[in-house]
Amino acid sequence: MTKSFFLATTAMVLGAGLAHASTLEDVRERGAVVCGVTQGVPGFSNPDDAGNWTGFDVDICRAVAAAVLDDADAVRFVPLSNTERFTALQSGEVDILSRTTTRTLNRDTALGLNFAPVVFYDGQGFMVRESLGVASALDLDGASVCVSAGSTTELNLADYFSANGMSYSPVRFDRADEVLAAYDAGRCDVYTSDLSGLAARRLVMENPAEHVMLPETISKEPLAPVVRHGDDQWFDIVTWTVYALIGAEEMGVTSENMQEMAEGGSPDIRRLLGAGDDNMGAWMDLENDWSAKAIAAVGNYGELWERHLGMNTPLELERGLNELYTNGGIQYAMPIK
Amino acid sequence: MADTASQSPGRLPSGPPRAPFLTRGRIRSLAVQILFIAALVWVVHFLFSNTMSNLSRQGIASGFGFLGNRAGFDVSLHYIPFSSSSTYLQGFWVAVINTLVLSALGIVLATFLGFGLGLARVSRNWLIARLATVYIEIFRNIPLLLQLFFWYFAILRPLPNPRDSVDFGGIAFLNNRGLVVPEPILGASGNAVLMALVIGVMLGIVQTRRMRKLRDATGDAGPVWPWWLGGLIALPLLAWAVSGARFELIIPELRGFNFQGGMVILPEMLAALLGLSFYISAAVGEIVRAGIQGVPKGQYEAAVAMGHSRWEMMRLIVLPQAMRIIIPPLATQYLSLAKNTSLAAAIAFPEIISIVAGTTLTQTGQAVETILLAMGFYITVSLFIAAVMNFFNYRVLRNDR
Ligand SMILES: N[C@@H](CCC(=O)N[C@@H](CS)C(=O)NCC(=O)O)C(=O)O
């Protein structure tokens, strides 16, 4: 908590002043992308046993580092709580925020942020102990609810309960670890967060099998990487790196077959992989094979999903809305040309 | 006591004769000070305008207008009305009051514990002195944040859920949502009783002072306790009876997930209070011990010679003198307790950091303004505590004749 104090004060006094106009130049000079992540959410951003950050959100940053610096490991990860994250980005302490952050009008405008394309269409849900015998969120009148402070979650929670004429007692923590620990210790009847976060958090509970999700999804939580206002070039780079990963899946390009695809694929595919004659990279001041490097480093969007979140991972998340638009979902890359 | 008074730290030496008003040294130091202040103003102005232009360049909202906006979040503990449709400003006041309540309770508890510990440390009973030492070493040396977590989970883990609450005679219940106790409802009598209580306390204070003056002057005075008894009990009772004698107890009742009705002491409050006061009481204990040991030996001998019991000696002779040594460092500990309430945010206690520098900051994105509000609050509280303690210090030194 003292850290957020420190961050904010820095932002207030120097930070924003020192933040360079060109993030790309800063990143090149530094030789690393500084990436704000969570303090540990399995599947999204979590240090492994050796201390290396892994996960879906982590790989978005690695993809950007590969596109910009040709090195997916040239990333410095900064764990941030919900309440620290925006100040850290605004003050220039991180270049990208890639940490289950919902795009909202307020954040897009008043907070001075720019959101790259949505990488995970999520929604807010509720988790309870099975033994409680609750079948619906509408039965939660009078419950104690554990929630992360400084999130869209606590706002949706207030709206949902007041809209349904129910009362509740919020137990608000700054750090997600404590939300979980308090819920696990029995302080709350309900744990609410993004459904993805609930699934991830359940994995680290004392007895995962004792907890169930309620059927209601009470909000839209489009999670996206974030950059700060004032640097369109950097915003473009992050935006199109995400589109390149989604576009690769649309075109059937994977980290494995990309070599052959670059040689024999359609003009769109050859363009995506920097094998065409057009000079797309130069429009963002990058090498022409920026997107090929990103795909080679982390795989296409589908590979990313399967590796960190899919049915063969402990999270076992269905793609749902995050399927490609051609498969019944709403993931859709803008034309990469 | 006359000869110790001359060694008292509060006595100013009469000092050298005053120098003439304008000397070269004075002018030089005045110039340096003016330059320093000018530089400071310039730096602050530079930082301020720099910050403002940066904020607007990045399109980040600024100013304090957001305080009038709808907060949108709920808080578990508020002594004034608050809901998600209240304003951020109201949220700020909720946070201020919660922090002040926690600080005040913490200071009271830490003081009692600390004085007990200090006395125990100088006790002639080996076991008591040892135990006090062990307590102090433990609570002084473990980081406060860890202690807060310890208390929080030590409270949460063993306690049952509401359905299996520990039942105190069917009227109070303890579970992992807190301690629920009956709520007295006085209706219209409430205000009358409160007013009577205020008048009663004032009466007690006035009378105590009068009697003390009388005793100083004549060496003999009547007792004051009947005044206190009347002021604190009889007068409020009378006010209650006259104003309708309404009294009801709302007994908490298990409904749905938890008890409804009654008043609740949240686990967050309990853990924060225990954590803060145990931590600070260890330091207070050491200060009290040092204070007691700082009283010259002759005072003890004199007290014994006058036939005082050990307890009387402590209460009437040693502690009053020790207060001179105790109060200044005690003030530091009180300040530290008030500032350390910020750590209670980690265990979900809704204080300034949690509500203002946490949620409000994140939801509005106005880091500069919210941090300024939080800093302003801590500075005000610190200055207030310092002023109160200075006043006590002045009183103690003045009385020391
Ligand atoms: N998407 C919401 C909620 C974000 C949130 O609370 N995410 C949780 C997991 S779903 C988290 O990141 N916790 C880890 C942490 O705070 O370090 C928002 O942007 O406000």
Side-chain angles (χ1 to χ4, degrees):
Chain A
M1 209 52 243
T2 5
K3 188 167 170 211
S4 105
F5 244 118
F6 174 75
L7 281 175
T9 321
T10 325
M12 154 169 135
V13 181
L14 301 167
L18 295 181
H20 227 239
S22 168
T23 311
L24 180 61
E25 264 172 45
D26 290 346
V27 165
R28 286 208 172 113
E29 238 164 71
R30 208 189 290 128
V33 175
V34 184
C35 174
V37 290
T38 68
Q39 293 163 322
V41 177
F44 287 87
S45 41
N46 205 27
D48 66 14
D49 294 338
N52 298 314
W53 283 91
T54 57
F56 186 79
D57 285 343
V58 161
D59 275 353
I60 299 293
C61 283
R62 292 197 188 281
V64 172
V68 173
L69 299 168
D70 192 15
D71 182 358
D73 290 326
V75 190
R76 214 174 71 221
F77 292 99
V78 179
L80 297 167
S81 75
N82 275 339
T83 52
E84 291 163 345
R85 57 184 160 172
F86 299 128
T87 316
L89 183 60
Q90 289 167 341
S91 65
E93 177 169 314
V94 299
D95 303 317
I96 311 177
L97 209 58
S98 182
R99 72 173 295 302
T100 58
T101 296
T102 303
R103 179 172 183 175
T104 68
L105 184 148
N106 165 253
R107 292 171 177 178
D108 217 340
T109 57
L111 269 68
L113 306 176
N114 277 329
F115 285 80
V118 173
V119 294
F120 193 127
Y121 289 96
D122 206 346
Q124 183 175 337
F126 297 104
M127 184 159 62
V128 296
R129 286 181 180 69
E130 195 165 20
S131 59
L132 216 52
V134 173
S136 156
L138 294 170
D139 299 336
L140 292 178
D141 192 13
S144 292
V145 185
C146 281
V147 62
S148 231
S151 59
T152 50
T153 320
E154 64 176 339
L155 305 182
N156 299 329
L157 175 69
D159 284 351
Y160 184 78
F161 273 76
S162 82
N164 290 294
M166 303 190 295
S167 69
Y168 72 105
S169 175
V171 186
R172 307 158 49 259
F173 294 87
D174 178 44
R175 286 176 54 103
D177 282 352
E178 271 97 53
V179 187
L180 178 84
Y183 171 76
D184 231 3
R187 174 65 181 91
C188 301
D189 304 295
V190 187
Y191 180 5
T192 184
S193 188
D194 299 345
L195 284 163
S196 65
L198 290 180
R201 290 278 164 189
R202 177 153 67 164
L203 298 176
V204 285
M205 286 189 176
E206 280 172 13
N207 296 301
E210 284 177 5
H211 307 274
V212 291
M213 309 274 191
L214 297 181
E216 288 84 357
T217 303
I218 66 163
S219 71
K220 294 193 284 190
E221 305 292 329
L223 311 179
V226 203
V227 296
R228 60 186 155 265
H229 275 180
D231 189 346
D232 292 351
Q233 181 192 46
W234 184 247
F235 181 34
D236 289 341
I237 290 172
V238 177
T239 299
W240 287 96
T241 304
V242 173
Y243 280 145
L245 301 181
I246 300 172
E249 189 185 10
E250 287 176 3
M251 296 178 222
V253 175
T254 68
S255 53
E256 256 126 60
N257 69 10
M258 56 189 291
Q259 213 62 36
E260 306 130 50
M261 292 291 233
E263 281 151 26
S266 68
D268 268 350
I269 292 176
R270 292 170 50 74
R271 217 175 278 125
L272 172 73
L273 295 175
D277 312 330
D278 35 15
N279 216 358
M280 284 196 312
W283 302 331
M284 296 182 286
D285 197 9
L286 297 179
E287 303 286 325
N288 213 25
D289 58 350
W290 61 279
S291 48
K293 287 171 186 155
I295 298 163
V298 302
N300 68 30
Y301 181 83
E303 291 179 272
L304 215 61
W305 185 284
E306 290 314 319
R307 186 163 66 244
H308 298 298
L309 311 173
M311 285 304 177
N312 296 325
T313 68
L315 268 90
E316 298 183 29
L317 291 182
E318 306 213 9
R319 289 260 314 244
L321 282 180
N322 296 294
E323 272 292 1
L324 295 179
Y325 71 109
T326 46
N327 272 345
I330 56 175
Q331 281 295 5
Y332 177 113
M334 301 301 135
I336 301 167
K337 51 178 52 152
Chain B
M1 253 187 251
D3 58 14
T4 48
S6 61
Q7 306 160 3
S8 134
R11 284 295 150 111
L12 289 173
S14 46
R18 297 231 284 156
F21 179 61
L22 280 181
T23 62
R24 293 185 59 172
R26 256 181 178 267
I27 292 176
R28 202 183 317 128
S29 100
L30 198 69
V32 168
Q33 287 181 37
I34 288 175
L35 271 180
F36 179 76
I37 289 175
L40 197 69
V41 168
W42 182 80
V43 168
V44 169
H45 170 79
F46 169 78
L47 291 176
F48 180 78
S49 59
N50 187 39
T51 307
M52 283 304 147
S53 75
N54 282 322
L55 291 179
S56 76
R57 194 159 44 80
Q58 285 188 43
I60 299 173
S62 61
F64 285 92
F66 72 94
L67 284 172
N69 295 351
R70 182 180 182 275
F73 59 91
D74 284 296
V75 174
S76 56
L77 175 68
H78 48 86
Y79 297 97
I80 52 174
F82 184 80
S83 76
S84 57
S85 37
S86 307
T87 60
Y88 284 116
L89 184 62
Q90 184 79 355
F92 171 74
W93 291 120
V94 166
V96 164
I97 294 172
N98 288 352
T99 313
L100 291 179
V101 168
L102 178 60
S103 306
L105 292 177
I107 284 175
V108 170
L109 198 56
T111 307
F112 276 110
L113 282 172
F115 272 79
L117 282 168
L119 289 172
R121 281 275 272 153
V122 297
S123 165
R124 281 186 298 196
N125 181 323
W126 183 86
L127 186 66
I128 291 181
R130 276 290 102 181
L131 283 177
T133 310
V134 170
Y135 174 104
I136 287 176
E137 288 310 318
I138 290 178
F139 287 103
R140 201 169 54 158
N141 290 317
I142 299 175
L144 177 55
L145 189 59
L146 285 185
Q147 294 193 36
L148 288 172
F149 282 128
F150 166 79
W151 286 114
Y152 191 46
F153 288 102
I155 289 170
L156 287 188
R157 293 237 166 232
L159 285 181
N161 63 41
R163 289 176 199 180
D164 308 317
S165 294
V166 183
D167 184 337
F168 297 104
I171 54 167
F173 304 89
L174 182 65
N175 56 50
N176 55 19
R177 306 295 140 78
L179 175 67
V180 209
V181 297
E183 184 179 357
I185 300 287
L186 298 176
S189 308
N191 287 336
V193 170
L194 207 67
M195 236 145 71
L197 210 60
V198 171
I199 295 174
V201 168
M202 289 199 308
L203 217 65
I205 293 176
V206 168
Q207 209 53 29
T208 309
R209 291 176 139 242
R210 266 193 49 201
M211 291 299 176
R212 189 184 298 148
K213 277 217 187 94
L214 207 62
R215 195 178 48 219
D216 283 354
T218 67
D220 192 25
V224 288
W225 64 263
W227 289 94
W228 281 109
L229 197 70
L232 290 179
I233 296 174
L235 204 60
L237 262 177
L238 190 72
W240 173 70
V242 170
S243 64
R246 185 164 167 232
F247 182 74
E248 243 175 76
L249 264 188
I250 297 194
I251 310 283
E253 199 184 324
L254 185 61
R255 232 178 303 137
F257 291 94
N258 204 347
F259 284 86
Q260 312 290 322
M263 302 186 294
V264 61
I265 303 170
L266 297 173
E268 289 79 32
M269 171 63 105
L270 213 54
L273 193 55
L274 289 176
L276 284 166
S277 54
F278 274 52
Y279 180 71
I280 297 293
S281 73
V284 173
E286 280 304 86
I287 290 168
V288 171
R289 178 194 57 79
I292 292 173
Q293 290 176 344
V295 175
K297 275 274 175 314
Q299 295 293 315
Y300 290 78
E301 284 153 15
V304 172
M306 284 169 74
H308 286 300
S309 73
R310 194 173 155 81
W311 172 240
E312 274 176 345
M313 171 185 82
M314 273 294 169
R315 193 170 62 88
L316 298 175
I317 295 169
V318 178
L319 270 181
Q321 296 184 67
M323 288 312 280
R324 279 189 279 132
I325 312 176
I326 291 175
I327 287 184
L330 191 62
T332 313
Q333 292 307 321
Y334 288 174
L335 289 177
S336 144
L337 189 143
K339 284 183 277 190
N340 277 333
T341 54
S342 64
L343 291 175
I347 54 166
F349 184 87
E351 45 64 74
I352 284 281
I353 293 297
S354 162
I355 293 182
V356 179
T359 293
T360 304
L361 185 156
T362 313
Q363 305 298 2
T364 62
Q366 299 200 239
V368 179
E369 292 82 357
T370 48
I371 294 294
L372 278 178
L373 279 177
M375 287 194 324
F377 169 77
Y378 286 119
I379 289 172
T380 309
V381 170
S382 298
L383 289 178
F384 177 75
I385 292 178
V388 169
M389 294 307 279
N390 271 340
F391 173 73
F392 274 120
N393 199 25
Y394 163 79
R395 286 280 304 262
V396 167
L397 293 179
R398 200 194 55 177
N399 284 346
D400 180 38
R401 268 172 296 203

